[in-house]
Structure formats: structure tokens, C-alpha cells
Amino acid sequence: MPTRICLLALIGLPASGKTMFSKWLLELPQTAFNVIHICYDDHFPQPTNETSSETKFEFKKERTQIFSIISELIDALKNTTRFPNHLNTTVKSSLHADCYDFLIICDDNNYYRSMRYKLYQLCKQTECAYAQIYFEGHLEMALQRNSERPAVERVAQKTIQQMAKRLEAPDSATQRWESNTVILNEYTYKDCSAMKIKILEFLGKTFKNTLRPSPVQEKAKNVQSLVHQLDLLLRRRVAEILHTEHAHTLERQERARNLNTKRKDILQNFKTIAEEGMRVDELNEYANLLH
């Protein structure tokens, strides 16, 4: 069976029930799919009231890193159907031995639409499914729940208030890509079990809605693949040339630098031409340009 992956973006204020929902899904005795929980709080420092440029840079850096983790996870599942042990995730395997459906929970506030859209675009590029669950609730409720947390887990009250002002709720009317969304209000998510059938049916159907790259994205993907294949051929060519030439260490190092400079130039020129149309069987012609 082919591997199917769904990215599930959770949306909501701190203390709105996102991680509680994730744990509930992980603890279900049996599901029709494997569950992988990525809790952003495990990768990000606790939010503060600071708004310095340095703090914003670190936040952006952390978000880029976790996006890379998700990309790496998708790649590993697509190619090996195995969970990379070095990634900081919680995994619940399906009791079905031959289950190749994987739900990746992106447990974050995702309060800006741009944050979610980046995940949606990743799904299109990697041919995965995409879904959202919006934990709708009042600011007062979030502040109350946050105050009941252990001190080390509490988010600054000012941070939650600012996030509430900036939160961009899903809007499928104007953003069609957000149409695959379920809204859980402050009453329903208190007892996830009451909505078990609805939630599992929603997630189960989502796996059937695999996204596809647009023609532009597909072309870029093909070009990237060709460039990668040519790079491997060129690197092999460099190794062959250095192996056949007998030179002193310093001369060999200089020769290697020159060859790698040529390799990069060939790749750059090839990329420009490949965007206009290129066949795999033409790669060797470019590899032989290196001498």
C-alpha cells in the first residue's frame, strides 16, 4: 500500500486545549492511522513579553528549524515508512500491522494564517493531505486555564492578550485552502470522547484528499531533481579525475578547488537551461563538460 501522510495544524490560544487534544488522540486504544505528535513547545523557548529584534530573530530561526524537522519526517516516511529516532516527536503506532497512514500533529498556536499556509504549501509540494482543527475559545477562558497551569508552564498574560488580538481565525469563505477545518469550541473539547466518532471520521476522510503540486511547483520539483542528479554525476567525475591524476598534495588540493568551481558553474548553467526543458538522458553530456 502507498504511504499516505496528513499534516494536522492545530490553531488556538495558549491553554485552549491543543496539547490535551493531542494527548487524547495519542492515548486512543486503537486508531486507523499512526499518530505523530510534534509539540512546538518542546522546541521553542517559553514565550516572553520581549519584542526585541533579537528575540524575533530567534523565534523565526526556531520556526524554520521545526519546519525542517517536519520536512525531514515526511521524506523519511515517504521513503522508508520509519520514524527517524533523532527527531523530538511522540509516536503512537496503529495496531494495524500494515498501516501506512501517518497523521502528523503540528501542535502550535498557528495564530497567523501565513504559518498555516506554509504547512499547506509543504503538503502540496510533498503530495500530502492537509487539515486544521481550530480551538475556538474566549480570551478570559484561556487566561483562566493558563493561571491553573504549573508556574513553569504558564505563558505571560500579556503574551496571550497580544496573541488574541493577532489571531487570524480560519476563514474558508475567503481562503479556500482552509476549507478542511473542524472547529472545537470551549464546550465540546472538554470531553473529546463525546466527539470521537466525528473527529476520527474527519481525519480518516482527510487522508483521501491528497494535495498535488501546481504545474509551476511540479516543474520546479523536476528541475531540482535533475540538478541533484547532475550534481551527483559531477561529484563522481571530480573523484575520478583526481584519482587518475598523480600530483603532490598542494597541487591536488588546487586541482580539486578548480574542479569544484567548474562543477558549480556547470550546475548553474544547467539549471537555467533545465527550466526550459531537459531530459534525464542528457545529464551525461553535461557531466562530461568537467575536465
Side-chain angles (χ1 to χ4, degrees):
M1 290 182 61
T3 298
R4 299 190 303 180
I5 299 172
C6 173
L7 282 191
L8 175 64
L10 304 187
I11 309 164
L13 296 175
S16 59
K18 300 182 299 298
T19 300
M20 180 183 73
F21 169 84
S22 300
K23 291 179 178 178
W24 169 78
L25 201 54
L26 285 165
E27 291 170 358
L28 284 180
Q30 183 171 358
T31 56
F33 44 81
N34 303 288
V35 180
I36 305 173
H37 179 216
I38 300 179
C39 183
Y40 284 43
D41 286 346
D42 293 340
H43 301 267
F44 292 160
Q46 281 294 322
T48 67
N49 291 326
E50 298 178 16
T51 57
S52 66
S53 58
E54 183 177 349
T55 302
K56 291 180 179 178
F57 173 78
E58 287 299 322
F59 179 75
K60 186 175 182 179
K61 180 181 176 182
E62 294 287 348
R63 187 164 287 280
T64 300
Q65 289 177 346
I66 199 165
F67 187 80
S68 298
I69 289 174
I70 297 171
S71 300
E72 182 181 352
L73 179 58
I74 291 174
D75 184 63
L77 294 175
K78 288 272 188 179
N79 292 290
T80 67
T81 67
R82 295 180 180 176
F83 312 107
N85 294 327
H86 66 284
L87 299 183
N88 189 4
T89 61
T90 303
V91 178
K92 169 67 180 296
S93 297
S94 169
L95 295 184
H96 300 292
D98 297 324
C99 179
Y100 297 99
D101 289 346
F102 299 88
L103 179 73
I104 302 177
I105 306 174
C106 300
D107 182 2
D108 184 34
N109 300 304
N110 286 308
Y111 58 98
Y112 284 136
R113 186 169 287 111
S114 59
M115 297 174 177
R116 285 123 52 186
Y117 189 67
K118 192 171 183 180
L119 293 174
Y120 172 81
Q121 286 290 87
L122 177 61
C123 288
K124 289 193 70 174
Q125 294 164 9
T126 56
E127 299 187 9
C128 297
Y130 178 78
Q132 300 182 154
I133 293 184
Y134 175 37
F135 293 79
E136 185 181 47
H138 299 300
L139 172 60
E140 293 75 14
M141 179 204 65
L143 292 173
Q144 176 61 36
R145 284 177 169 267
N146 183 64
S147 67
E148 296 170 357
R149 286 175 162 179
V152 294
E153 297 179 10
R154 286 180 205 148
V155 178
Q157 180 173 313
K158 184 177 179 180
T159 299
I160 298 179
Q161 292 170 334
Q162 291 176 341
M163 198 176 292
K165 293 178 182 178
R166 298 172 182 170
L167 192 149
E168 297 172 342
D171 183 6
S172 59
T174 60
Q175 307 292 329
R176 292 183 60 187
W177 61 272
E178 290 198 291
S179 59
N180 198 28
T181 302
V182 161
I183 298 176
L184 301 182
N185 61 45
E186 59 182 294
Y187 301 103
T188 56
Y189 73 64
K190 288 181 179 178
D191 183 6
C192 296
S193 297
M195 296 193 65
K196 177 180 176 180
I197 295 177
K198 177 182 178 181
I199 292 171
L200 293 183
E201 283 184 350
F202 165 70
L203 295 176
K205 290 178 180 178
T206 296
F207 282 100
K208 301 177 183 178
N209 299 322
T210 301
L211 300 175
R212 305 294 180 187
S214 65
V216 174
Q217 289 175 321
E218 189 65 44
K219 183 176 181 180
K221 183 178 178 180
N222 290 337
V223 170
Q224 184 179 12
S225 175
L226 288 171
V227 171
H228 176 66
Q229 291 179 58
L230 177 58
D231 190 28
L232 294 177
L233 289 174
L234 289 171
R235 289 176 184 274
R236 191 179 307 152
R237 177 76 175 145
V238 169
E240 290 172 352
I241 293 173
L242 294 176
H243 180 72
T244 57
E245 295 182 356
H246 301 286
H248 297 295
T249 302
L250 292 178
E251 293 176 345
R252 183 182 177 84
Q253 290 175 347
E254 181 63 24
R255 178 65 165 147
R257 280 194 291 269
N258 291 334
L259 287 171
N260 278 303
T261 298
K262 290 181 179 180
R263 175 181 63 83
K264 293 176 182 178
D265 289 340
I266 292 173
L267 282 174
Q268 186 58 45
N269 292 333
F270 173 81
K271 183 177 180 181
T272 302
I273 297 173
E275 290 174 348
E276 300 175 1
M278 179 63 61
R279 300 193 311 272
V280 175
D281 56 9
E282 297 178 41
L283 294 180
N284 284 323
E285 296 179 18
Y286 282 84
N288 291 328
L289 293 175
L290 189 62
H291 53 77

